[in-house]
Amino acid sequence: MTPRIFASLVLAGLALAFVLQNVAAVEVRFLFWSFALSTSLLLLIVLALGIAIGWLWGFSGRRRGSSGSDPDL
């Protein structure tokens, strides 16, 4: 078994344990909306949003032609 496959299996096992231990429903309130979902699903949604925002931010920087470092910051 290659180290990459082993690491993938370990990470998948840890992710499964996390999901199984965080099935309790939490209420989320945002502005006028209120809904309930599991803690693990909420964290998965926040992770996906963070990845998407980071990807879009990096993409917009490359489109402008910058090298990733902004001298104005």
Side-chain angles (χ1 to χ4, degrees):
M1 182 179 305
T2 65
R4 177 179 260 170
I5 292 174
F6 180 73
S8 297
L9 289 174
V10 168
L11 287 174
L14 289 172
L16 180 64
F18 174 79
V19 168
L20 292 175
Q21 291 179 352
N22 291 291
V23 294
V26 293
E27 183 180 357
V28 178
R29 285 186 235 155
F30 182 70
L31 298 176
F32 306 109
W33 300 285
S34 178
F35 52 93
L37 67 155
S38 72
T39 307
S40 56
L41 183 59
L42 176 64
L43 289 174
L44 180 65
I45 291 169
V46 169
L47 174 67
L49 284 173
I51 289 171
I53 290 170
W55 181 77
L56 288 172
W57 190 326
F59 179 73
S60 69
R62 280 182 273 155
R63 193 177 65 194
R64 285 185 305 207
S66 70
S67 61
S69 62
D70 192 1
D72 294 333
L73 293 178

